[in-house]
Amino acid sequence: MTELMIARDAELAGGAAEPDVAIVGAGPIGLTLALLLRAHGCSVVVLERHEGLSTHPKARGISARSMETFRGLGLEPQIRAAGLPPEHVRFSRGDTLADPASTVGAVPPTRRSAHTPSPGVLCSQDALESVLFDAAREAGVEVRFDSRVTEVTQAPAGVSLAIERATAAQAPVRARYVVGCDGAGSTVRRAAGIALQGERDLARFLSIRFRAELGETVRGREAASYFLTGGKGGFLAIDNDTRWVYQYPLPAGNDGAALQADPGALTSLVRAAAGLPELAVQVQDSMVWRMDARIADTYRNGRILLAGDAAHQTPPTGGHGMNVGIGDAETLSWQLAAVLRGDADEVLLDKYTAERRPVGAEVIAISSGNYGARYGIDDELLLGTHLGVTPPLNADPYAPSGAIGRRIPHVALTGDPAAASTLDLVRHRWLVLIDRHDPAWHAAAAASAAVDGRASVPVVPVTSGARCEVEPGSFTTRAGLAHGEGLLVRPDGHIAARLAGPAALDTIAERVV
Ligand SMILES: Cc1cc2nc3c(=O)[nH]c(=O)nc-3n(C[C@H](O)[C@H](O)[C@H](O)COP(=O)(O)OP(=O)(O)OC[C@H]3O[C@@H](n4cnc5c(N)ncnc54)[C@H](O)[C@@H]3O)c2cc1C
């Protein structure tokens, strides 16, 4: 962090300065975006209507691509430690939770994969948010709780956000850009006049978070989700011991309000679904959620942008709603930072919609297909995201590729404590990735910088000094590199161009922003 940034942040903490970006919503997407923007050197304030973080676990499946993003932020170990052990990541089916005839999938093989250094993990959303929040504060993000955004107004140079607080009056917050990460009912989206299209109310569930001694009941057949036959919904394991969530499908026309107001009724629902009429149940809270399959017409109106559920609502039957939002944050962060630095024209922000909206639409289609059919989770689905290209995703199993728009292939590395994967070489910056040290590439990079006076894009060899591939030749094979070819890689790890050789460096200036 530069001295200027530190001074500016200190001013911001005192409320005097105007941050680069105001993020509305301290959910998983708002907090991830805040961390990524900080990694790109932007000042950020996060405004959250509640007095603290959410306590109700919704998402639990953090997929491989999201874990790669968190790896880049240095948070993978903490998130993995907060998750379920990998051997619990399987599904059970039975008449009740205690049903002795329940079936359960085989213990999954180790989640190590040749495709990623960071396989997915089952970590409940509240635990994830807490890791992200601590990291965000440490990175200098100001998170203001009890700050409900009620209006957003745009001016040529910035935005103004009206804030309502339960405890005190609050002056409007001004920023250069605002990103609505405020969930499905987004106020920011409404303020921007952006409409949603798609299907609403596919189903409604009452989600009951409770504590009960159920560890012995499931001992030896622990699973991540326990689906119940007869339309009774299912249990989600938080720790497969005392912390649980029961998802009760609400009958048509029932909004769940009466049940929520009656702790005895909630306890009875849990006992019936568990098949244990005497079970001691401590209900902690409950929420009603609606299954929608909708997407915003655009993710941008001027200085107002959308990410996460504010932009797309995905049926959870596929486990990708949050994961696709984390991908939004990764792409938006570098594009917004480039515009804020003055390195790119605002038009770059239109690329954000063009690249990410098709991915959101495809994930909705895949997840809607799962609903009513067999519940399926493909941990590696989003590794195949193809930005700016049709189709943006392929439902086939992931296969590495060096095509433009794809994320660079993972190849395991050794000999460099800072890089165990090719993905670790990206570090939120533009770079040219080549197979091995090549003086011609480095000379060309130095020469192109000397011509226009700009810092050159670093040329990074996969094999360099002590650093080498665990399986020599893997990167060239997986990326399909011809002799002497290099990949121009964006700060989000996606391939912007294939460069035939060092001479092609002269042509990249207008692509690198
Ligand atoms: C049962 C269930 C299971 C799921 N499982 C998975 C899964 O396994 N994997 C997966 O990827 N996804 C899953 N999802 C989806 C996932 O929960 C959502 O996609 C995710 O929560 C979206 O995050 P977000 O940050 O965009 O929005 P949210 O989590 O909704 O957060 C929005 C935040 O904005 C705040 N806010 C709202 N309005 C305002 C305002 N006006 N001013 C200030 N703050 C405001 C809210 O209080 C909230 O904190 C599941 C969802 C459900 C319901």
Side-chain angles (χ1 to χ4, degrees):
M1 201 185 297
T2 63
E3 272 178 35
L4 181 67
M5 277 171 64
I6 292 167
R8 206 157 160 223
D9 284 357
E11 212 186 345
L12 179 60
E18 187 172 287
D20 292 327
V21 184
I23 294 174
V24 184
I29 310 310
L31 293 171
T32 303
L33 179 65
L35 280 162
L36 288 163
L37 283 167
R38 286 300 290 155
H40 287 290
C42 304
S43 56
V44 184
V45 63
V46 179
L47 303 160
E48 167 58 48
R49 66 181 168 183
H50 289 134
E51 287 185 2
L53 297 173
S54 161
T55 50
H56 203 97
K58 291 187 284 177
R60 292 176 312 148
I62 307 176
S63 75
R65 185 66 192 119
S66 300
M67 286 304 280
E68 289 176 358
T69 303
F70 294 135
R71 176 188 181 89
L73 289 166
L75 300 176
E76 187 180 358
Q78 297 90 305
I79 294 171
R80 217 168 272 292
L84 275 183
E87 61 272 21
H88 292 187
V89 183
R90 54 186 179 156
F91 299 135
S92 162
R93 287 181 170 75
D95 191 39
T96 61
L97 185 73
D99 181 2
S102 292
T103 58
V104 63
V107 172
T110 165
R111 284 197 123 191
R112 228 174 268 141
S113 162
H115 298 148
T116 177
S118 308
V121 67
L122 250 99
C123 169
S124 63
Q125 191 170 322
D126 52 328
L128 170 69
E129 287 181 18
S130 157
V131 171
L132 297 176
F133 174 68
D134 289 347
R137 273 216 307 211
E138 210 167 292
V141 174
E142 189 197 357
V143 182
R144 289 192 204 165
F145 290 111
D146 181 22
S147 298
R148 176 190 295 272
V149 172
T150 54
E151 265 173 51
V152 183
T153 326
Q154 297 202 59
V159 288
S160 173
L161 292 87
I163 313 286
E164 219 173 69
R165 301 194 67 185
T167 47
Q170 167 78 53
V173 169
R174 293 194 170 76
R176 290 175 67 192
Y177 288 90
V178 59
V179 186
C181 299
D182 49 345
S186 173
T187 300
V188 176
R189 187 184 62 232
R190 227 173 301 127
I194 299 174
L196 287 171
Q197 51 176 275
E199 288 185 84
R200 252 190 112 193
D201 240 335
L202 296 170
R204 270 176 203 239
F205 287 80
L206 174 62
S207 181
I208 306 169
R209 184 168 71 104
F210 68 96
R211 280 182 182 267
E213 301 283 346
L214 286 167
E216 279 310 313
T217 305
V218 300
R219 189 70 64 235
R221 58 179 181 90
E222 289 93 342
S225 302
Y226 298 79
F227 297 112
L228 306 181
T229 52
K232 295 192 289 284
F235 288 86
L236 309 180
I238 303 304
D239 62 3
N240 263 318
D241 188 17
T242 58
R243 296 165 59 217
W244 298 85
V245 171
Y246 171 50
Q247 301 281 359
Y248 170 68
L250 286 165
N254 184 340
D255 69 0
L259 285 168
Q260 281 188 287
D262 180 352
L266 297 177
T267 299
S268 301
L269 284 175
V270 171
R271 285 178 173 160
L276 298 168
E278 305 298 325
L279 182 70
V281 177
Q282 185 196 340
V283 172
Q284 293 175 289
D285 57 31
S286 67
M287 63 172 267
V288 172
W289 60 274
R290 207 178 59 209
M291 194 186 291
D292 293 342
R294 300 201 295 171
I295 190 157
D297 287 341
T298 173
Y299 289 7
R300 175 186 180 215
N301 176 350
R303 290 178 175 273
I304 306 179
L305 296 122
L306 304 176
D309 277 20
H312 41 71
Q313 293 123 45
T314 306
T317 43
H320 286 300
M322 173 181 71
N323 291 308
V324 77
I326 289 167
D328 297 341
E330 190 164 52
T331 291
L332 178 59
S333 60
W334 78 259
Q335 294 180 337
L336 205 40
V339 171
L340 283 160
R341 275 195 311 268
D343 287 346
D345 190 85
E346 270 210 330
V347 173
L348 180 63
L349 299 178
D350 290 329
K351 208 166 165 182
Y352 167 61
T353 297
E355 290 185 345
R356 293 301 310 177
R357 191 178 181 279
V359 181
E362 194 60 28
V363 170
I364 288 173
I366 291 170
S367 305
S368 302
N370 283 339
Y371 179 56
R374 203 177 157 73
Y375 193 95
I377 292 183
D378 176 0
D379 184 46
E380 300 192 347
L381 176 75
L382 298 175
L383 296 183
T385 303
H386 210 163
L387 293 182
V389 178
T390 306
L393 268 181
N394 194 334
D396 294 338
Y398 169 79
S401 161
I404 294 170
R406 295 284 298 269
R407 108 176 182 328
I408 54 165
H410 153 68
V411 162
L413 304 176
T414 182
D416 179 353
S421 161
T422 39
L423 302 181
D424 297 334
L425 301 172
V426 178
R427 298 183 193 138
H428 306 119
R429 59 183 174 164
W430 284 92
L431 73 157
V432 173
L433 206 53
I434 57 173
D435 174 37
R436 58 191 52 252
H437 183 78
D438 180 343
W441 271 104
H442 295 287
S448 73
V451 170
D452 63 9
R454 289 162 54 124
S456 63
V457 175
V459 173
V460 179
V462 170
T463 296
S464 174
R467 184 173 68 225
C468 58
E469 295 166 286
V470 172
E471 286 175 35
S474 310
F475 188 68
T476 297
T477 308
R478 290 185 193 173
L481 283 188
H483 181 69
E485 207 179 3
L487 299 178
L488 177 63
V489 183
R490 313 186 331 174
D492 57 7
H494 285 260
I495 299 165
R498 292 180 67 111
L499 308 178
L505 276 181
D506 287 343
T507 67
I508 68 171
E510 68 280 5
R511 276 179 274 194
V512 180
V513 288

